[in-house]
Amino acid sequence: MEFQRVCFIVLDSVGIGELPDANRFGDEGAHTLGHIAEKVSGFQLPNLQQMGLGCIAPLKNIPASESPTAYYGKMAEASIGKDTMTGHWELMGLKVTIPFQTYPNGFPAALLEQFEQETGRKVIGNMPASGTDILVELGERQMKTGEWIVYTSADSVFQLAAHEEIIPLDELYRACEIARRLTMQDEFAVGRVIARPYVGQPGAFTRTSNRHDYAVKPPAPTVMNKLQDAGLDSIAVGKINDIFTGEGVTESLHTVSNNDGIAKTIEVMKKPFRGLCFTNLVEFDSLYGHRRDPVGYANALVEFDRNLPDIMAQISSHDLLILTADHGNDPTHSGTDHTREYVPLLVWNPSFKTPVSLGVRTTFADVGATIADNFGLEAIGQGRSFLSQLQ
């Protein structure tokens, strides 16, 4: 069975149980969906359940469907890492064998000295921190002094926070471009530089939707490049364009929330095109996983599940809907980092008669391989297509 369009949605960080090597990452026992289901009373996802989510792994109050409407399975990450770029790149056919460098003790003084000199402002912070916590700690000082707030996380990220009324957005973005150039040096290598603008007053700071990511270019062509080269559409919704630095993207739609991402995905699917609509819904990760908020995470999943029929209504018999994730972020786990987990895989078309298990896939790249196979494109080299199993 071949499809004219693929609607591929990444539920950012919605993992479904620890990988066999989770102990190497300090993630033994992690289970994003499982622990949310255990901790949050009344948590139910009826539409995802009907598709087959409960068939993938035991989940409290989400039993296995006797007649799942989607092909289901789970995927292991073959790459070394558990960050956003690694997961997304692998989904599109790349395997990352060298993990991105992290800075658990802050960035080197030599890097920050160069950054201060080129931007003309001093730096405060320089520590791993929650994006909201560091505003509580340093936001008022920045309003008084105009210093940059620099922080990182367990990911390979250089995050730059600035109050929009103190440091204009244009200046923040220019500073991020400087940081991106400086962190391309081998000794300071960082996967992503992220602009983190915010507004408000002490005690009530709020991050705005003007975030912008400056990622490293993928080291090799992905399935998205193959689509573009073949004259097909490769439409990016949410932070997909940033993650791939525009590589293989024919159209990009910025989003400000999960619901906005869902709405824009529906808009795309209402229009005629041939190729891929690739969406990332980031709030599961950014607002609830990193902040260790299982109730908020559960509510966001319920909201997605409530909107899922509206997405499915745009999937014709000539289209394919794929749902998965890029890593875990168990909100009950220690720390504030991503967790090394399997990710769920749900594949749906309204014409499917009796969907069955796709098993445990050994790499996220099976999704990319399937998309390439569907459009008759040369394989990237990673992953195994499951297209022939869809009937």
Side-chain angles (χ1 to χ4, degrees):
M1 184 177 290
E2 295 183 3
F3 305 93
Q4 293 297 306
R5 307 185 303 175
V6 176
C7 179
F8 177 31
I9 302 176
V10 174
L11 310 180
D12 202 307
S13 85
V14 182
I16 196 161
E18 65 175 321
L19 281 170
D21 64 355
N23 63 316
R24 293 178 53 197
F25 297 82
D27 294 330
E28 289 177 287
H31 199 313
T32 299
L33 276 168
H35 288 153
I36 291 171
E38 290 174 6
K39 298 289 184 181
V40 180
S41 177
F43 176 65
Q44 293 182 316
L45 302 172
N47 294 306
L48 287 166
Q49 176 189 334
Q50 184 59 51
M51 290 181 78
L53 182 63
C55 301
I56 301 172
L59 300 169
K60 185 178 179 181
N61 293 328
I62 305 176
S65 173
E66 293 183 2
S67 302
T69 57
Y71 286 84
Y72 59 89
K74 62 183 181 181
M75 301 189 293
E77 187 165 16
S79 297
I80 304 301
K82 53 178 180 177
D83 60 272
T84 296
M85 286 196 305
T86 297
H88 281 78
W89 289 0
E90 186 171 321
L91 286 165
M92 287 294 104
L94 302 185
K95 181 179 179 180
V96 178
T97 57
I98 301 174
F100 290 107
Q101 189 170 337
T102 58
Y103 295 87
N105 300 310
F107 298 103
L111 169 61
L112 296 185
E113 287 168 4
Q114 291 183 48
F115 179 73
E116 289 177 338
Q117 182 176 1
E118 293 201 32
T119 62
R121 293 181 185 267
K122 293 292 185 181
V123 163
I124 54 176
N126 190 30
M127 67 183 81
S130 157
T132 51
D133 289 347
I134 202 158
L135 297 185
V136 172
E137 181 178 349
L138 297 175
E140 184 174 6
R141 175 173 168 177
Q142 182 181 67
M143 292 186 73
K144 294 176 180 177
T145 67
E147 297 163 304
W148 296 115
I149 298 175
V150 172
Y151 65 106
T152 186
S153 72
D155 275 353
S156 181
V157 290
F158 183 106
Q159 304 193 82
L160 193 60
H163 196 294
E164 292 188 5
E165 296 174 9
I166 305 301
I167 302 176
L169 276 175
D170 287 348
E171 184 179 353
L172 171 61
Y173 293 157
R174 285 196 301 274
C176 285
E177 291 169 0
I178 290 169
R180 177 69 283 173
R181 172 169 49 79
L182 294 176
T183 56
M184 292 300 290
Q185 302 172 76
D186 290 342
E187 64 268 35
F188 304 138
V190 170
R192 279 184 298 163
V193 172
I194 306 178
R196 291 288 198 177
Y198 67 99
V199 294
Q201 298 298 317
F205 290 127
T206 304
R207 294 198 293 189
T208 75
S209 62
N210 293 317
R211 163 182 170 159
H212 188 64
D213 291 39
Y214 301 78
V216 174
K217 181 180 175 179
T222 72
V223 172
M224 295 164 71
N225 294 104
K226 297 289 186 181
L227 288 165
Q228 185 180 41
D229 292 347
L232 298 167
D233 293 292
S234 179
I235 303 168
V237 179
K239 67 178 185 178
I240 297 300
N241 186 69
D242 289 341
I243 292 168
F244 290 88
T245 62
E247 287 290 311
V249 174
T250 60
E251 180 182 355
S252 178
L253 287 78
H254 175 71
T255 63
V256 298
S257 66
N258 276 5
N259 283 342
D260 187 38
I262 292 166
K264 283 189 167 65
T265 299
I266 290 172
E267 287 176 16
V268 170
M269 296 306 295
K270 285 182 176 180
K271 300 175 182 179
F273 70 92
R274 184 163 184 259
L276 172 68
C277 173
F278 189 178
T279 298
N280 173 281
L281 300 180
V282 71
E283 288 186 331
F284 304 113
D285 185 54
S286 62
L287 294 188
Y288 309 113
H290 286 301
R291 298 183 190 180
R292 295 303 186 244
D293 179 1
V295 174
Y297 206 135
N299 290 338
L301 285 166
V302 169
E303 182 71 10
F304 172 77
D305 189 79
R306 186 180 299 123
N307 284 290
L308 184 54
D310 293 334
I311 299 171
M312 297 170 77
Q314 306 307 319
I315 306 299
S316 75
S317 60
H318 303 292
D319 303 326
L320 188 66
L321 174 64
I322 302 176
L323 304 179
T324 190
D326 53 339
H327 50 71
N329 199 345
D330 186 343
T332 72
H333 200 62
S334 60
T336 60
D337 189 13
H338 297 154
T339 44
R340 177 85 169 171
E341 298 184 48
Y342 289 103
V343 297
L345 176 64
L346 294 168
V347 183
W348 183 80
N349 171 281
S351 300
F352 290 161
K353 302 301 183 185
T354 55
V356 295
S357 174
L358 293 172
V360 180
R361 318 298 297 192
T362 59
T363 171
F364 295 179
D366 285 3
V367 170
T370 301
I371 293 170
D373 187 14
N374 179 71
F375 292 106
L377 305 176
E378 181 183 1
I380 295 294
Q382 301 292 330
R384 181 169 56 90
S385 172
F386 49 77
L387 185 67
S388 63
Q389 297 176 249
L390 307 179
Q391 299 177 3

